[in-house]
């Protein structure tokens, strides 16, 4: 196929300057490559964080609270009313009519439900006291909503709570702090001062220090008895087949039952916002890297237009238009961008492969999460966005000197050359 | 012969704090098949007049009609298209593209015009170069050619699209006497054998005397013209 004359001219200019062309292409390629690697790392970190968030907590959580203070009947009756000195009734905390609430949710929620009673308590053993959040659960339900994933159990499981007697499942770090182990009998003291002996029948390790050090699970009935709140639940957890549906499910559930219902996205709103800000920063840095590469291209094409001004004059005298001249030098910028992008894709992919081989072993006090490898996300969009930015930058870098070159007056150049 | 070019009160003034008049109220008519010399002392506006006639520069005043087309009405792209189709330029320096071979340089205007296919362009370029005695140098780059050879390639390039008018600015100015004579003979043959019109700027009065007609400029003004046989 015959190459259009303008592209042929562009090719001759670019190939005629081997070293400078190599530098320009490499600058774009490195920009694209590092942008891809950085985007993969950032996106991977974000995905990993969200995955942990989604796995570690319920997708939707209903608690025994209300989003807004209850309206007084008089407020509904009259348009303008001022209420002063109101003394709210001391309600008994907990989700009222739990059976009805469950029935209202069970029919339509696309996932599993688990209800529980969360209360504060102290675990006591060998003269050591440790505060903990005591969660009263139904083992089958807790398993279904994956309160603790099966692989996170070091010993025993939720089913061990139902073996008979007072059984307790705790985090390994809590047991370690107490000096207790599987089978040890410890004392649980509720907030009301009630105390019972419980046997440790399960140990878990989630990797989240707060949970491993401060969470314990008992049967729901045992928790209700211990805290003197018979038949009370204060926490309903929903695990959905599709976590993305959580906000919609939460809105609908709150409309139906009135209790505060929070989706995981709402519970982590500030963190998700921080991730958006992080992405904006990342893409700004990526853009800046490629703009810097664009300056290199601008510099080289400016040099070419300067050195080739005589050729520009002769092309114009032959009948080439200003548009042809512009296209010629923009094509050179785009050529740098395309070549740089293709090589940059390879550099980016190689960097990602190299980073995926890096392994870390993080553990010990103060480390909230264990991470054994760099989280990386392979996404074709990273490649397309990086190449798109590179091409835009290269085109602009080509266009500016091209516009100036196109405006050169051939007579001035011919006179100068003569 | 039909009128090929008609200029009325052609004037070119360079703007600035002190405006400089390059061409001052020149009127001329050139017919097809003429061999015209533009002469005059240095700075008299010879090249400036040639660039105006070749649509490379803009008139400050006056009117130029090229092949029945009033050039004042044309925008930049239309002027370029008219140049491509009807004008051929030969400059004092060859101005060949250094990255291209002699053949590719000659093909350049044909590729831009796009009326011939690649094979036809190649054949025509080779034929033009052969006529000018360069059949052995088709694939050489400009730096591999002598000054006279380069200038002949430039002439071949000027003729690529078979333009009726060839404008030459000191075409022999940078050549030795043998090469000068060779290039002059080519231009002479263009007029007398191919029926082209050639307008050439020269300060070589001997060469000018061998052309058909002479326009003499002094300080941008046409001081005299005469027909020579």
């Amino acid at each position: 196929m015959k190459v259009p004359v303008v592209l042929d001219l562009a090719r001759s200019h670019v190939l005629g300057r081997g070293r400078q062309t190599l530098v320009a292409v490499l600058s774009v390629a490195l920009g694209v490559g590092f942008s891809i690697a950085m985007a993969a790392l950032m996106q991977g970190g974000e995905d990993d964080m969200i995955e942990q968030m989604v796995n570690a907590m319920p997708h939707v959580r209903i608690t025994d609270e209300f989003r807004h203070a209850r309206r007084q009947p008089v407020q509904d009756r009259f348009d303008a009313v001022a209420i002063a000195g109101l003394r709210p009734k001391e309600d008994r905390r907990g989700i009222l009519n739990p059976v009805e609430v469950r029935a209202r949710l069970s029919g339509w929620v696309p996932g599993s439900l688990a209800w529980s009673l969360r209360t504060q308590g102290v675990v006591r053993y060998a003269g050591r006291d440790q505060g903990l959040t005591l969660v009263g659960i139904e083992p089958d339900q807790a398993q279904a909503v994956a309160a603790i994933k099966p692989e996170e159990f070091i010993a025993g499981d939720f089913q061990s709570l139902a073996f008979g007697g007072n059984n307790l499942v705790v985090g390994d770090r809590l047991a370690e702090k107490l000096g207790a182990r599987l089978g040890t009998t410890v004392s649980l003291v509720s907030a009301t001062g009630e105390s019972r002996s419980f046997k440790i029948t399960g140990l878990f390790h989630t990797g989240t220090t707060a949970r491993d050090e401060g969470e314990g699970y008992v049967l729901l009935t045992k928790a209700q008895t211990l805290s003197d709140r018979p038949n009370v639940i204060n926490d309903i957890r929903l695990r959905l087949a599709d976590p993305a549906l959580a906000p919609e499910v939460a809105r609908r559930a709150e409309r139906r039952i009135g209790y505060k219902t929070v989706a995981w996205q709402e519970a982590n709103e500030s963190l998700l916002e921080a991730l958006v800000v992080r992405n904006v920063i990342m893409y700004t840095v990526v853009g800046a890297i490629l703009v810097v590469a664009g300056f290199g291209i601008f510099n080289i094409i400016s040099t070419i237009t300067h050195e080739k001004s005589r050729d520009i004059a002769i092309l114009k005298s032959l009948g080439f238009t200003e548009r042809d001249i512009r296209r010629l030098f923009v094509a050179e910028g785009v050529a740098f961008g395309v070549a740089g992008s293709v090589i940059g894709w390879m550099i980016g992919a190689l960097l990602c492969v190299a980073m995926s081989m890096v392994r870390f072993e993080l553990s010990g006090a103060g480390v909230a999460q264990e991470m054994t490898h760099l989280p990386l996300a392979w996404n074709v969009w990273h490649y397309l966005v990086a190449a798109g930015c590179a091409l835009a930058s290269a085109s602009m870098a080509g266009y500016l000197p091209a516009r100036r070159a196109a405006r050169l007056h051939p007579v001035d150049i011919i006179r100068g050359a003569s | 012969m039909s009128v090929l070019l008609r200029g009325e009160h052609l004037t070119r003034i360079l703007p600035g704090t002190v405006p400089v008049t390059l061409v001052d109220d020149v009127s001329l008519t050139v017919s097809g098949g003429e061999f015209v010399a533009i002469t005059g002392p240095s700075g008299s506006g010879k090249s400036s007049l040639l660039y105006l006639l070749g649509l490379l520069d803009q008139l400050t005043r006056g009117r130029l009609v090229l092949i029945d087309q009033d050039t004042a009405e044309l925008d930049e792209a239309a002027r370029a298209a008219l140049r491509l189709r009807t004008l051929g330029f030969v400059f004092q320096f060859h101005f060949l593209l250094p990255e291209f071979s002699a053949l590719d340089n000659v093909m350049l205007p044909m590729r831009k015009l796009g009326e011939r296919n690649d094979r036809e362009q190649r054949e025509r370029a080779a034929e033009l170069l052969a006529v000018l005695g360069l059949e052995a140098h088709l694939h050489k780059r400009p730096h591999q050619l002598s000054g006279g050879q380069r200038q002949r390639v430039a002439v071949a390039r000027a003729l690529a699209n078979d333009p009726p008018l060839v404008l030459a600015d000191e075409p022999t100015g940078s050549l030795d006497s043998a090469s000068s004579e060779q290039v002059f003979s080519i231009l002479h043959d263009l007029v007398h054998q191919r029926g082209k019109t050639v307008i050439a700027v020269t300060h070589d009065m001997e060469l000018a005397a061998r052309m058909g007609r002479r326009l003499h400029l002094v300080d941008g003004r046409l001081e005299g013209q005469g027909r020579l046989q």
Side-chain angles (χ1 to χ4, degrees):
Chain A
M1 193 184 74
K2 189 67 186 167
V3 181
V5 62
V6 167
L7 292 185
D8 205 14
L9 286 163
R11 187 175 61 181
S12 73
H13 286 176
V14 169
L15 296 181
R17 310 173 70 84
R19 199 166 56 87
Q20 281 176 302
T21 297
L22 190 68
V23 169
V25 169
L26 272 183
S27 66
V28 176
L30 288 174
V32 169
F34 279 100
S35 301
I36 289 168
M38 198 164 77
L41 201 54
M42 300 283 268
Q43 179 75 54
E46 183 179 323
D47 291 351
D48 193 54
M49 198 179 287
I50 289 175
E51 192 188 329
Q52 284 189 24
M53 211 187 285
V54 167
N55 285 337
M57 63 187 301
H59 298 159
V60 177
R61 189 172 177 194
I62 303 164
T63 54
D64 58 344
E65 293 171 12
F66 294 95
R67 211 173 273 276
H68 306 290
R70 280 187 196 167
R71 283 175 68 79
Q72 299 299 315
V74 70
Q75 288 175 300
D76 293 331
R77 189 162 180 116
F78 300 103
D79 289 338
V81 60
I83 298 171
L86 186 71
R87 203 165 167 199
K89 196 172 88 180
E90 283 294 332
D91 277 344
R92 190 168 162 237
R93 289 293 301 267
I95 293 172
L96 298 178
N97 297 325
V99 177
E100 190 192 334
V101 168
R102 282 179 229 161
R104 283 190 182 190
L105 295 172
S106 309
W108 60 272
V109 168
S112 312
L113 276 86
W115 44 86
S116 59
L117 174 66
R118 293 177 78 84
T119 181
Q120 297 301 312
V122 173
V123 59
R124 185 172 289 162
Y125 177 68
R128 293 174 198 165
D129 288 355
Q130 286 291 326
L132 87 167
T133 299
L134 194 61
V135 188
I137 58 164
E138 303 276 11
D140 287 338
Q141 291 178 359
Q143 216 153 303
V145 300
I148 303 287
K149 285 185 274 182
E151 64 269 22
E152 290 171 342
F153 278 101
I154 299 170
D157 56 21
F158 281 140
Q159 293 302 334
S160 67
L161 296 175
F163 285 170
N166 292 339
N167 297 326
L168 170 70
V169 170
V170 291
D172 61 341
R173 284 176 184 274
L174 179 61
E176 202 178 311
K177 278 190 166 184
L178 292 168
R181 61 179 69 177
L182 193 71
T184 303
T185 299
V186 296
S187 292
L188 276 181
V189 184
S190 74
T192 56
E194 196 75 30
S195 176
R196 293 271 193 287
S197 292
F198 281 79
K199 184 179 170 187
I200 297 176
T201 57
L203 292 170
F204 60 83
H205 178 83
T206 62
T208 306
T209 309
R211 298 187 73 191
D212 296 342
E213 272 186 6
E215 219 167 63
Y217 292 84
V218 296
L219 279 180
L220 178 61
T221 50
K222 307 284 181 193
Q224 288 168 338
T225 308
L226 188 66
S227 58
D228 194 21
R229 297 166 77 182
N231 298 320
V232 170
I233 59 168
N234 61 5
D235 190 43
I236 298 177
R237 296 172 160 228
L238 272 58
R239 188 161 193 87
L240 308 178
D242 180 4
L245 293 176
E248 179 54 39
V249 170
R251 268 194 298 276
R252 193 170 162 195
E254 188 162 327
R255 268 202 311 273
R256 284 194 158 213
I257 60 175
Y259 285 105
K260 186 178 177 185
T261 306
V262 177
W264 67 270
Q265 290 95 331
E266 185 188 342
N268 297 284
E269 203 172 2
S270 56
L271 185 59
L272 293 174
E273 279 171 8
L275 291 176
V276 171
V277 172
R278 197 179 72 149
N279 282 344
V280 169
I281 293 169
M282 176 189 78
Y283 284 112
T284 306
V285 172
V286 167
I289 291 171
L290 294 168
V291 166
V292 170
F295 274 111
I297 294 173
F298 174 84
N299 191 30
I300 289 167
I301 295 181
S302 292
T303 308
I304 293 176
T305 57
H306 182 70
E307 288 182 4
K308 297 291 177 188
S309 56
R310 207 184 62 172
D311 290 2
I312 294 167
I314 200 65
L315 289 172
K316 281 189 157 186
S317 77
L318 291 177
F320 283 74
T321 59
E322 286 187 7
R323 188 163 165 261
D324 291 325
I325 305 298
R326 268 198 307 272
R327 283 170 57 202
L328 164 62
F329 292 105
V330 170
E332 290 176 23
V334 171
F336 288 132
V338 169
S341 294
V342 172
I343 297 171
W345 285 347
M346 289 187 268
I347 292 174
L350 287 174
L351 281 172
C352 287
V353 169
M355 285 194 296
S356 70
M357 291 175 178
V358 176
R359 293 270 182 258
F360 293 99
E361 289 295 339
L362 299 178
S363 61
V367 178
Q369 292 289 329
E370 290 176 358
M371 185 165 62
T372 55
H373 64 276
L374 288 172
L376 288 164
W378 296 83
N379 191 331
V380 71
W381 280 107
H382 297 159
Y383 290 74
L384 295 178
V385 168
C389 289
L391 280 176
S393 174
S395 304
M396 186 50 73
Y399 178 75
L400 295 174
R403 195 177 59 161
R404 202 182 52 212
R407 288 177 180 168
L408 285 175
H409 202 298
V411 171
D412 294 340
I413 300 162
I414 292 165
R415 280 185 193 284
S418 302
Chain B
M1 285 294 231
S2 61
V3 171
L4 195 68
L5 178 155
R6 194 173 70 247
E8 296 168 3
H9 310 291
L10 305 179
T11 303
R12 174 66 170 128
I13 301 170
L14 285 184
T17 319
V18 182
V20 179
T21 303
L22 299 176
V23 178
D24 190 5
D25 198 30
V26 171
S27 296
L28 76 168
T29 302
V30 178
S31 301
E34 279 199 279
F35 194 7
V36 182
I38 301 177
T39 60
S42 292
S44 59
K46 307 185 290 293
S47 295
S48 300
L49 177 60
L50 194 81
Y51 299 147
L52 287 175
L53 300 180
L55 307 179
L56 286 179
D57 204 358
Q58 295 273 9
L59 287 166
T60 307
R61 277 196 301 274
R63 181 165 175 255
L64 176 66
V65 178
L66 187 62
I67 314 179
D68 298 329
Q69 193 148 15
D70 189 342
T71 58
E73 295 164 359
L74 305 177
D75 61 11
E76 186 268 337
R79 289 162 71 89
L82 188 60
R83 255 195 322 266
L84 181 66
R85 198 174 281 277
T86 61
L87 299 177
F89 280 95
V90 180
F91 297 98
Q92 181 177 2
F93 296 99
H94 56 84
F95 286 155
L96 299 174
L97 300 188
E99 298 90 353
F100 283 21
S101 67
L103 194 73
D104 288 334
N105 266 290
V106 177
M107 284 171 66
L108 207 54
M110 290 187 271
R111 290 178 67 182
K112 173 60 188 160
L113 191 62
E115 286 184 350
R116 294 180 169 93
N117 64 33
D118 186 50
R119 189 178 53 81
E120 289 168 344
Q121 290 171 11
R122 208 163 277 281
E123 282 174 4
R124 175 164 172 77
E127 183 192 318
L128 283 168
L129 288 168
V131 167
L132 298 175
L134 294 166
E135 62 272 30
H137 308 287
L138 303 185
H139 301 291
K140 286 185 180 170
R141 293 200 177 178
H143 71 272
Q144 296 169 306
L145 301 170
S146 70
Q149 287 169 335
R150 288 178 203 160
Q151 200 63 320
R152 279 185 278 157
V153 175
V155 173
R157 184 178 61 187
L159 298 173
N161 284 333
D162 200 20
L165 177 58
V166 175
L167 301 171
D169 187 9
E170 303 272 13
T172 60
S174 61
L175 302 177
D176 57 52
S177 54
S179 298
S180 287
E181 186 54 39
Q182 207 171 18
V183 169
F184 179 81
S185 300
I186 291 166
L187 296 177
H188 186 271
D189 290 349
L190 284 180
V191 176
H192 294 98
Q193 290 177 15
R194 292 180 174 235
K196 304 285 179 199
T197 302
V198 175
I199 303 176
V201 166
T202 181
H203 59 260
D204 186 333
M205 299 310 282
E206 195 185 321
L207 283 181
R210 291 160 63 189
M211 297 186 196
R213 180 178 160 202
R214 197 177 79 171
L215 306 173
H216 190 70
L217 291 180
V218 176
D219 294 335
R221 296 185 71 89
L222 194 57
E223 287 292 310
Q225 51 181 311
R227 286 189 187 281
L228 306 162
Q229 290 301 323

